[in-house]
Amino acid sequence: MPKAQTVTVTPAEAGQKLLQFLERRLRGAVPKSALQRWVRQGRVRVDKGRKKPFDRLEAGQEVRIPPYTPGGETAPPAAPTPDARLKIAFEDAHVLAVAKPAGLAVHGGDKVDDSVAARLAALYPDAAFKPTLAHRLDRDTSGLLLAAKDYATLRDLNDRFASGGVGKVYLAWVLGRWDEPGGALLEDRLEKRGAPGGERVAPGAGKVALARVTPLVADRRYSLVAVRLLTGRTHQIRVQLASRGHAVVGDRKYGDPDGRPPMRLHCYALRVGERTLILPPPWSGRWEIPADALRGALGPLFD
């Protein structure tokens, strides 16, 4: 028969709500509704006392987890074993930066088993607090993606991204010649339109979207631009560029119907506090970026 177990809250897990802690520790073996019932009934104990689901935990506290059977009637079906291949561009004790490839989803969902989140979990199977992503990129966008290795860092990164405290520069090859050599500040209001499953983002009403565009390379057919993202709206760069006649190369959804994947949009640089992380795009041939253009792309990050 399964037995109750007592686990100790690690420094990396400190600050989490009790329900979050149980969800991460049990890794989907018990549904959230059952975890809430355990806590409500007093079957989960913290330092031998009762707690509420949203009470926060401290490092060193002991949590009693009642007996359970992984894969039992109340457990969700087991997910397929994820592919563990993932390039890590940077890592220290608190943060890691994933080099996300184009075409890989950030999170799983309906009919999506493989994702950056699943691969991170597979890469760090024994971590008490599995590295958790602090922001998103579109499936077809490549580049830097930050994850926290402890809960305190995750909260800090979430706050920075929400408040605009992270500098973000993207590189994009776009259709046509960019004719504003000094660059431009793009300002729109963006809203989602269409039925679920077929939604598109379009300029109109909605939330303000701001981005600063700096041209790096231009000819009659294509231009390379650096985009300093000042807000973080869904599909923002793609929509703002396409609405001005400069769709991202390979973006069939917003203006390049004959384009072939991968889409040429890449998160090149992130500035968090005093630290700047960069990741050149893995583009070759016609789309390879000259070294001087890569250097020039960093300028907007410090404006």
Side-chain angles (χ1 to χ4, degrees):
M1 293 289 293
K3 296 182 179 180
Q5 57 179 310
T6 299
V7 297
T8 302
V9 180
T10 66
E13 297 170 300
Q16 290 185 96
K17 297 171 184 176
L18 177 56
L19 190 59
Q20 290 176 309
F21 174 86
L22 293 171
E23 287 182 289
R24 285 195 168 99
R25 272 293 181 126
L26 300 186
R27 299 171 183 174
V30 179
K32 185 175 182 178
S33 58
L35 297 177
Q36 290 175 313
R37 187 164 56 251
W38 283 359
V39 177
R40 188 173 63 251
Q41 295 173 347
R43 297 172 65 192
V44 173
R45 298 283 174 138
V46 178
D47 290 341
K48 299 183 179 181
R50 296 182 67 148
K51 290 286 186 180
K52 296 179 181 178
F54 303 111
D55 287 343
R56 295 193 182 274
L57 301 179
E58 298 177 3
Q61 288 187 306
E62 293 189 339
V63 180
R64 178 194 181 273
I65 300 175
Y68 69 95
T69 303
E73 288 185 20
T74 60
T81 301
D83 186 333
R85 292 174 298 171
L86 201 61
K87 180 181 176 182
I88 305 300
F90 170 84
E91 182 173 6
D92 65 12
H94 302 286
V95 174
L96 62 83
V98 173
K100 177 193 171 303
L104 179 64
V106 171
H107 295 286
D110 292 342
K111 301 180 181 179
V112 179
D113 296 320
D114 192 14
S115 66
V116 174
R119 293 190 185 191
L120 276 176
L123 277 174
Y124 297 84
D126 300 322
F129 185 92
K130 291 189 181 298
T132 302
L133 296 167
H135 61 124
R136 304 174 65 96
L137 293 176
D138 294 345
R139 179 199 287 265
D140 295 322
T141 301
S142 59
L144 287 167
L145 195 59
L146 295 186
K149 297 174 68 175
D150 57 74
Y151 184 68
T153 300
L154 178 62
R155 292 188 70 183
D156 177 64
L157 287 175
N158 284 341
D159 289 344
R160 287 176 183 269
F161 276 105
S163 65
V166 177
K168 296 169 279 188
V169 169
Y170 289 70
L171 292 169
W173 280 104
V174 300
L175 300 180
R177 182 180 182 86
W178 189 273
D179 287 326
E180 296 183 68
L185 176 66
L186 310 186
E187 181 173 357
D188 298 284
R189 288 187 176 271
L190 302 183
E191 61 180 347
K192 288 185 179 180
R193 299 174 183 171
E199 293 177 316
R200 290 169 59 91
V201 177
K207 296 181 178 180
V208 172
L210 293 171
R212 187 173 297 282
V213 178
T214 301
L216 302 172
V217 177
D219 62 26
R220 288 194 302 175
R221 294 189 62 190
Y222 304 106
S223 298
L224 174 69
V225 297
V227 182
R228 170 72 188 271
L229 202 56
L230 303 176
T231 56
R233 312 304 180 202
T234 300
H235 297 176
Q236 177 180 333
I237 294 174
R238 299 163 62 185
V239 175
Q240 289 194 285
L241 292 174
S243 69
R244 290 161 173 81
H246 297 289
V248 175
V249 172
D251 187 358
R252 295 184 178 184
K253 187 178 184 78
Y254 289 110
D256 186 12
D258 299 322
R260 297 181 179 180
M263 189 169 66
R264 304 297 170 174
L265 179 61
H266 179 84
C267 182
Y268 171 55
L270 294 173
R271 189 175 186 219
V272 185
E274 298 302 314
R275 173 180 291 156
T276 300
L277 302 176
I278 62 172
L279 178 70
W283 301 334
S284 58
R286 171 187 290 186
W287 311 115
E288 187 171 358
I289 299 177
D292 60 340
L294 287 175
R295 290 191 294 270
L298 290 176
L301 195 59
F302 298 93
D303 289 345

PDB file of all heavy atoms in Angstrom, residues 12 21 286:
ATOM      1  N   ALA A  12      14.973  26.642  -3.044  1.00  0.00           N
ATOM      2  CA  ALA A  12      14.459  26.966  -4.381  1.00  0.00           C
ATOM      3  C   ALA A  12      12.940  27.004  -4.417  1.00  0.00           C
ATOM      4  O   ALA A  12      12.346  27.699  -5.240  1.00  0.00           O
ATOM      5  CB  ALA A  12      14.972  25.943  -5.398  1.00  0.00           C
ATOM      6  N   PHE A  21       3.150  24.301  -4.524  1.00  0.00           N
ATOM      7  CA  PHE A  21       4.192  23.375  -4.087  1.00  0.00           C
ATOM      8  C   PHE A  21       3.777  21.930  -4.344  1.00  0.00           C
ATOM      9  O   PHE A  21       4.550  21.131  -4.891  1.00  0.00           O
ATOM     10  CB  PHE A  21       4.466  23.592  -2.594  1.00  0.00           C
ATOM     11  CG  PHE A  21       5.416  22.600  -1.981  1.00  0.00           C
ATOM     12  CD1 PHE A  21       6.786  22.811  -2.047  1.00  0.00           C
ATOM     13  CD2 PHE A  21       4.946  21.473  -1.338  1.00  0.00           C
ATOM     14  CE1 PHE A  21       7.674  21.900  -1.489  1.00  0.00           C
ATOM     15  CE2 PHE A  21       5.821  20.553  -0.766  1.00  0.00           C
ATOM     16  CZ  PHE A  21       7.189  20.770  -0.845  1.00  0.00           C
ATOM     17  N   ARG A 286      21.249  33.279 -47.698  1.00  0.00           N
ATOM     18  CA  ARG A 286      20.739  34.627 -47.940  1.00  0.00           C
ATOM     19  C   ARG A 286      20.404  35.353 -46.637  1.00  0.00           C
ATOM     20  O   ARG A 286      20.509  36.582 -46.557  1.00  0.00           O
ATOM     21  CB  ARG A 286      19.486  34.534 -48.806  1.00  0.00           C
ATOM     22  CG  ARG A 286      18.743  35.857 -48.933  1.00  0.00           C
ATOM     23  CD  ARG A 286      17.421  35.695 -49.657  1.00  0.00           C
ATOM     24  NE  ARG A 286      17.637  35.411 -51.075  1.00  0.00           N
ATOM     25  CZ  ARG A 286      16.651  35.332 -51.966  1.00  0.00           C
ATOM     26  NH1 ARG A 286      15.405  35.514 -51.577  1.00  0.00           N
ATOM     27  NH2 ARG A 286      16.906  35.058 -53.218  1.00  0.00           N
TER      28      ARG A 286
END
